[in-house]
Amino acid sequence: GVSSAASDVYKRQVMHRGPRTLRADALGVEAAELMEQHRITSVLVVDAAGLLIGALSINDLMRAKVI
């Protein structure tokens, strides 16, 4: 397994305090615009109450032929 110290370093590399979120009912083009605007490659997907339900990556958008 991964050591705790290595895991902490990895989390700091990929996570940040202000993650961008998108509601689950948003269009794919809205996700693409948000990613482009903030120069990010993924967003967290939340429900109407703001609860996390998943994540969407630029690769997901490419597979769906949104971009």
Side-chain angles (χ1 to χ4, degrees), residues 33-62:
E33 289 171 352
L34 182 67
M35 290 179 195
E36 183 177 352
Q37 177 184 5
H38 295 284
R39 296 181 178 192
I40 56 177
T41 58
S42 60
V43 294
L44 299 178
V45 181
V46 296
D47 64 13
L51 298 174
L52 179 65
I53 58 173
L56 183 70
S57 75
I58 197 160
N59 291 330
D60 297 326
L61 296 177
M62 288 191 295

